[in-house]
């Protein structure tokens, strides 16, 4: 029985339960092999021509990786999905496959630093031009479009400001001009937002985060139409080699089975934390799409089922306050990632963005007192109690 056509919760719970024809295992086997044997020369010739005829070599395709690709495609409502070693392997493979010299890319100005580096530093060496602007300003986006604009890239929610991009509006602008849209939906997961339903062409996930959910494996995922995914697979993944480990894909499939339940908890706890911080006298501002004070709250309500497990907040005391809070937390771990069972807190100005000049940091929304907070699965009263005692020392 195919999992397609069921609810996302059922799809996620049942992923990979039909792959093992040898032993009828209910779980997805980990195919830790480099090569796959051919029955005869004709079969070998067919597989060498296309993965659609079967597996050849794990860098190109592998049954465990393939099952993860099918699962994420089913959850996102896309035609095809691909698994990669990391989120950046997915993005770099997409960019290097779809773009050519003379192409133009539009990117939202709040994007992951490694993605921005690819567009600002690497691709110009090969004749690809990029422009960065605020995608919430639709008039500015329309004005920035060029006849050679090939691709539009954005995150929603954005890191770390939690800005929300109107997927339908941006996708409509791109479609009018013949451009492809790629939405990084890592923070939302398929259980909160399904960008393809709002008009996006390709969805990207750093599955290292919520999809894995346990902080023990890295991966990246792309979902989109076959017309775009086939060259990304057959040309890009095959030759660039950002292949997922089958063991990591197994862990991602395991994570998908509990993703719906985990996201319910992450979202409920993050909302409680956001409300607590919003009323705290030492907090200047909370950035969380679920709060009515968020600038894109109405957009978030239209395109999100709930508002995610991540939030950021700005302390009134600036840099010293941020450092003091980090040093006072006891339950919440100091770490730079997100989407895990553990609550993770970081202070970008003194940690991840210490090397960025203050003016540049603040221009991107990263102030001296900004704290990023990934709400975990611990008891919510204990999470807030840790924040309470930590803020008391600020």
């Amino acid at each position: 029985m195919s999992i397609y056509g069921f609810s996302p919760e059922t799809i996620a719970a049942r992923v990979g339960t039909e792959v093992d024809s040898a032993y009828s295992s209910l779980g997805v086997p980990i195919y830790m092999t480099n090569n796959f044997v051919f029955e005869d020369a004709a079969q070998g010739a067919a597989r060498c021509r296309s993965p659609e005829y079967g597996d050849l070599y794990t860098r190109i395709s592998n049954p465990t990786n393939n099952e993860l690709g099918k699962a994420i495609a089913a959850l996102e409502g896309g035609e095809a999905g691909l698994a990669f070693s990391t989120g950046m392997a997915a993005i770099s493979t997409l960019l290097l496959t779809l773009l050519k010299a003379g192409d133009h890319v539009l990117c939202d100005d709040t994007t992951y630093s490694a993605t921005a580096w690819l567009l600002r530093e690497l691709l110009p060496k090969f004749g690809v031009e990029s422009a960065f602007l605020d995608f919430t300003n639709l008039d500015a986006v329309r004005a920035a479009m060029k006849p050679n604009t090939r691709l539009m890239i954005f995150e929603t929610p954005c890191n770390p400001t939690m800005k929300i991009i109107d997927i339908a509006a941006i996708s409509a602008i791109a479609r009018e001009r013949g451009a492809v849209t790629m939405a990084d939906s890592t923070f939302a997961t398929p259980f909160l937002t399904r960008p393809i339903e709002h008009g996006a062409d390709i969805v990207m996930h750093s599955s290292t985060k919520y999809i894995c959910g346990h902080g023990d494996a890295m991966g990246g995922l792309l979902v989109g139409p076959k017309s775009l995914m086939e060259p990304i697979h057959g040309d890009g993944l095959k030759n660039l080699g950002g292949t997922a480990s089958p063991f990591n894909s197994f862990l991602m499939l395991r994570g998908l089975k509990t993703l719906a339940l985990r996201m319910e908890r992450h979202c409920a706890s993050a909302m409680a934390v956001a409300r607590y911080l919003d009323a705290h006298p030492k907090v200047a501002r909370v950035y969380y799409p679920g709060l009515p004070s968020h600038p894109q709250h109405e957009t978030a309500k239209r395109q999100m089922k709930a508002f995610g497990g991540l939030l950021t907040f700005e302390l009134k005391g600036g840099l010293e306050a941020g450092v003091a809070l980090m040093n006072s937390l006891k339950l919440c771990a100091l770490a730079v990632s997100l989407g895990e069972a553990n609550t993770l807190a970081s202070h970008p100005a003194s940690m991840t963005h210490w090397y960025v000049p203050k003016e540049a940091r603040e221009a991107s929304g990263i102030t001296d007192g900004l704290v990023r907070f990934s709400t975990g699965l611990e008891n919510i009263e204990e999470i807030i109690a840790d924040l309470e005692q930590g803020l008391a020392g600020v």
Side-chain angles (χ1 to χ4, degrees), residues 36-330:
F36 297 87
V37 177
F38 313 134
E39 292 179 359
D40 52 37
Q43 187 184 67
R47 292 185 183 183
C48 286
R49 283 160 176 76
S50 173
E52 69 176 298
Y53 297 110
D55 300 303
L56 164 74
Y57 185 62
T58 282
R59 175 164 54 81
I60 302 167
S61 69
N62 173 284
T64 314
N65 293 348
N66 298 344
E67 285 303 307
L68 178 57
K70 292 175 186 176
I72 195 64
L75 285 169
E76 287 287 1
E79 291 182 346
L82 286 174
F84 295 82
S85 56
T86 66
M88 283 314 303
I91 290 175
S92 59
T93 301
L94 177 146
L95 294 175
L96 292 170
T97 303
L98 296 188
L99 299 174
K100 65 182 185 306
D103 282 344
H104 176 249
V105 180
L106 282 184
C107 185
D108 180 65
D109 59 6
T110 306
T111 192
Y112 186 54
S113 58
T115 304
W117 179 86
L118 283 171
L119 294 171
R120 285 193 171 109
E121 304 296 333
L122 182 62
L123 290 181
K125 297 178 182 179
F126 304 101
V128 176
E129 176 192 7
S130 299
F132 292 79
L133 67 155
D134 182 1
F135 272 26
T136 64
N137 186 338
L138 298 179
D139 289 336
V141 172
R142 291 187 187 93
M145 294 289 287
K146 295 184 177 182
N148 60 332
T149 300
R150 166 69 170 150
L151 182 65
M152 299 174 71
I153 296 178
F154 59 92
E155 303 170 3
T156 186
C158 296
N159 182 22
T161 62
M162 302 306 293
K163 180 171 67 174
I164 301 295
I165 306 300
D166 188 328
I167 301 169
I170 293 296
S171 299
I173 294 171
R175 198 159 43 247
E176 291 170 2
R177 307 293 183 92
V180 173
T181 49
M182 189 211 82
D184 181 338
S185 194
T186 296
F187 286 12
T189 81
F191 285 98
L192 304 187
T193 306
R194 286 157 55 99
I196 291 172
E197 292 182 352
H198 297 276
D201 295 301
I202 296 176
V203 183
M204 178 268 171
H205 294 280
S206 172
S207 52
T208 306
K209 313 302 192 299
Y210 288 106
I211 287 175
C212 174
H214 295 74
D216 51 13
M218 287 192 159
L221 299 167
L222 291 178
V223 180
K226 290 181 179 178
S227 60
L228 294 174
M229 299 306 292
E230 285 178 354
I232 292 172
H233 186 183
D235 295 330
L237 181 59
K238 173 184 175 182
N239 294 308
L240 294 172
T243 308
S245 158
F247 183 74
N248 283 11
S249 290
F250 165 81
L251 293 175
M252 300 301 169
L253 286 162
R254 176 205 63 180
L256 282 177
K257 290 180 181 295
T258 60
L259 181 58
L261 294 172
R262 288 187 286 108
M263 290 311 296
E264 287 179 10
R265 180 65 169 266
H266 283 304
C267 292
S269 294
M271 179 65 84
V273 170
R275 287 172 174 159
Y276 162 75
L277 292 170
D278 200 39
H280 200 285
K282 293 184 180 180
V283 176
R285 185 171 182 182
V286 179
Y287 300 90
Y288 186 66
L291 294 179
S293 58
H294 189 283
Q296 292 88 42
H297 177 63
E298 293 302 318
T299 302
K301 288 199 313 187
R302 281 201 312 273
Q303 66 187 35
M304 300 184 76
K305 181 179 178 181
F307 303 106
L310 193 83
L311 59 104
T312 54
F313 58 96
E314 187 175 342
L315 294 169
K316 292 179 179 178
L319 187 69
E320 291 183 359
V323 172
L325 177 60
M326 294 300 100
N327 291 338
S328 299
L329 293 174
K330 293 181 172 61

